[in-house]
Amino acid sequence: MNCLLCHSPYNPIASWRQLLFLEDLDVLCPRCRGLFKLIDGRLCEMCGRPLEEAKPSLCADCLRWQEDEQWGRVLVKNRSVYIYNDWMKEVVALWKFRGDYVIVEAFRRPFSQAFRRHFGRDWHIVPIPLSPERLYERGFNQAEALARLLPFPCFPWLSRKHSEKQSKKSRRERLETDNPFFLSGHPPINGKRIVLIDDIYTTGITVRHAARVLLEAGAAEVGALTLIRA
């Protein structure tokens, strides 16, 4: 079997447990898998950023969010799987910007485990959408690709207007951007707990914009599960 990223041959069967319990084989070789850095230890209660032991329960960014009357209570929490290290930046460029869709399979098990640990079947899965123009440019929606890794249905309850890429904006510019999200038709949102799926949590404004639309439509609460915490 060849590694999905480096294409080197490797033996995907690491233990008898995989054979006995018919566990899915890892699509990455041990070297490539080991270069990713999982988020663990003490986390910010709101955004999931790793914290030093002496820090308070919220990071500096989330303390600022809490002081903002407009945005402070929009999102109940975000949880992410990986740190945005140099290796992850290379993989994201290959997957997201060069269109190698199949790379998403490398994240199936850790992303599903994070969903079960932090959310679960009571939460309705809603991927962050791309605008039609951005979807045409990239060929696929990376958030939807991640959502489809999960063992529960996902719901296309949001649409998005075209705007400049968020990665090109400063924090202040992102905060002052008009909300690009709107409901797709008349989805049955009232009273539901919703988890937004996206690839990267940076400032948190994208998921908060989306959460606000869902809350105004009657959602009980909105959280987010992202692959990466930048």
Side-chain angles (χ1 to χ4, degrees):
M1 187 167 175
N2 290 342
C3 174
L4 193 62
L5 290 176
C6 71
H7 309 295
S8 298
Y10 72 105
N11 181 4
I13 301 174
S15 68
W16 285 103
R17 179 182 175 85
Q18 289 177 298
L19 293 175
L20 291 173
F21 296 97
L22 301 177
E23 293 181 350
D24 292 336
L25 301 179
D26 197 345
V27 297
L28 300 185
C29 69
R31 176 190 170 277
C32 286
R33 178 63 68 190
L35 291 172
F36 291 109
K37 182 171 175 53
L38 288 166
I39 292 175
D40 59 7
R42 189 162 174 266
L43 307 178
C44 171
E45 292 178 356
M46 176 65 69
C47 74
R49 182 201 295 270
L51 293 176
E52 297 176 10
E53 289 302 321
K55 296 287 185 180
S57 59
L58 295 178
C59 69
D61 279 350
C62 289
L63 286 172
R64 276 190 287 173
W65 280 121
Q66 294 294 85
E67 294 169 358
D68 191 316
E69 293 183 2
Q70 182 181 7
W71 298 103
R73 304 292 178 180
V74 171
L75 195 73
V76 294
K77 65 179 176 181
N78 171 75
R79 289 296 178 267
S80 304
V81 182
Y82 291 110
I83 298 289
Y84 203 29
N85 61 9
D86 289 341
W87 171 244
M88 177 59 86
K89 290 175 183 176
E90 289 182 31
V91 173
V92 166
L94 187 63
W95 173 49
K96 183 174 173 179
F97 300 115
R98 299 179 208 165
D100 199 344
Y101 181 94
V102 73
I103 287 174
V104 75
E105 286 298 324
F107 310 126
R108 179 178 293 277
R109 184 181 297 177
F111 201 70
S112 295
Q113 289 173 341
F115 176 79
R116 290 189 178 95
R117 184 182 313 122
H118 301 297
F119 296 96
R121 65 172 64 247
D122 293 337
W123 292 76
H124 291 69
I125 298 166
V126 177
I128 292 289
L130 295 177
S131 67
E133 293 87 349
R134 193 78 68 223
L135 183 61
Y136 177 80
E137 176 186 313
R138 289 196 185 152
F140 69 95
N141 178 358
Q142 68 282 354
E144 184 177 335
L146 288 165
R148 293 190 182 282
L149 297 178
L150 303 175
F152 301 103
C154 60
F155 301 93
W157 289 345
L158 289 173
S159 295
R160 186 174 193 164
K161 295 177 287 189
H162 188 60
S163 61
E164 184 184 359
K165 291 181 180 180
Q166 290 291 309
S167 59
K168 294 184 177 181
K169 298 178 182 177
S170 68
R171 177 187 172 89
R172 174 51 51 189
E173 287 172 333
R174 293 187 191 200
L175 289 171
E176 294 175 350
T177 299
D178 290 337
N179 196 330
F181 299 105
F182 58 96
L183 292 180
S184 299
H186 303 280
I189 290 174
N190 195 48
K192 289 182 169 58
R193 304 170 82 193
I194 294 173
V195 54
L196 295 163
I197 304 296
D198 205 2
D199 56 346
I200 302 176
Y201 182 108
T202 306
T203 64
I205 190 62
T206 296
V207 290
R208 281 177 169 82
H209 269 147
R212 165 153 287 180
V213 172
L214 296 168
L215 289 171
E216 289 175 351
E221 57 181 349
V222 183
L225 177 63
T226 51
L227 181 67
I228 304 157
R229 180 64 174 87

